[in-house]
Amino acid sequence: MTHYLRSKHDAILIGVGTAEADNPSLNCRIAGVGGYGGDGLEGQPRPVVIDPRGRWQFDAESKVFKLAEEGKGKAPWVFTKAPLDVKRARLLQNAGGRNFVTGLEGCPEWRVSWDYVLKVLDAEHIRSVMIEGGGAIINDLLAPENIGLVDVVIVTIAPTWLGKGGVQVCPDERVEQRARLPVARLTNVKWMPLGEDVVLCGSPSRNQ
Ligand SMILES: NC(=O)C1=CN([C@@H]2O[C@H](COP(=O)(O)OP(=O)(O)OC[C@H]3O[C@@H](n4cnc5c(N)ncnc54)[C@H](O)[C@@H]3O)[C@@H](O)[C@H]2O)C=CC1
Ligand SMILES: Nc1nc(O)c(N)c(N[C@@H]2O[C@H](COP(=O)(O)O)[C@@H](O)[C@H]2O)n1
């Protein structure tokens, strides 16, 4: 499911926490897409890493760079507040990736504004973005001020325990006129069994 979804989006976006924790591949590995039997890089999403403070210590051995070199994925676009150091900037450029420097743009140094990121991606002809994670990025996009940017939420439920201290995904509670409001629900919900998993798909409610 994850790889099918990756093939259907122009970009796949993660936060630096995920880049550092997982060394992810961020490509699509379904037979028939570019690099896996298909032409060029057709069906491969553009990896986008949100890294305001330039924490991601990537090098040529990072999976996403290896795959780009092998023609099995696109090189990443990295959003930072200040330019990356020369070594990382050169590696990124040589691989075909880019460093978008947002500047301070009026928000705390640890975060970027979605308005800025989405405008840049739109200008670069990215028409659909799959937000893969992690927790902080998803929670921020589920917050009332950002939820309008989200078209669809897809949750895969797998029969496995994730362990203590896992990543918590839940929007902040809403308080209006001192009353606690329920967290917005999804609408147009569909459930689909897929192998051992169940996939839930729904749209954020616009009027809760
Ligand atoms: N099960 C799943 O489907 C997935 C799980 N994960 C897991 O999530 C974990 C990483 O999650 P987190 O540590 O929460 O890191 P994260 O990947 O959400 O990145 C958080 C970082 O993004 C930056 N950031 C920039 N703009 C931001 C904004 N507007 N809002 C929030 N953060 C912003 C912050 O500097 C922050 O440190 C990993 O353990 C990874 O395995 C990640 C992806 C998918
Ligand atoms: N286990 C799992 N299931 C999903 O449905 C997911 N979207 C993820 N997400 C993230 O996938 C990354 C590893 O995959 P690649 O190496 O990029 O193929 C990693 O960041 C997971 O946290 N995980």
Side-chain angles (χ1 to χ4, degrees), residues 171-193:
D172 287 338
E173 86 175 349
R174 296 189 304 155
V175 179
E176 277 175 25
Q177 293 166 346
R178 294 192 185 175
R180 293 171 68 175
L181 301 178
V183 169
R185 291 173 63 93
L186 297 175
T187 59
N188 302 320
V189 171
K190 293 187 180 65
W191 292 89
M192 191 171 54

Side-chain angles (χ1 to χ4, degrees), residues 32-73:
V33 302
Y36 294 83
D39 290 337
L41 289 174
E42 207 175 307
Q44 290 293 348
R46 171 70 62 184
V48 174
V49 180
I50 304 296
D51 184 14
R53 289 173 287 195
R55 278 167 45 203
W56 184 28
Q57 294 302 319
F58 57 85
D59 59 27
E61 297 304 309
S62 303
K63 278 188 197 162
V64 71
F65 286 90
K66 294 286 273 184
L67 289 166
E69 195 187 351
E70 292 163 9
K72 292 179 171 176

Side-chain angles (χ1 to χ4, degrees), residues 92-113:
L92 194 57
Q93 192 180 13
N94 290 344
R98 292 176 69 180
N99 179 203
F100 292 94
V101 180
T102 71
L104 293 177
E105 35 134 24
C107 61
E109 42 120 27
W110 61 269
R111 68 174 295 170
V112 295
S113 92

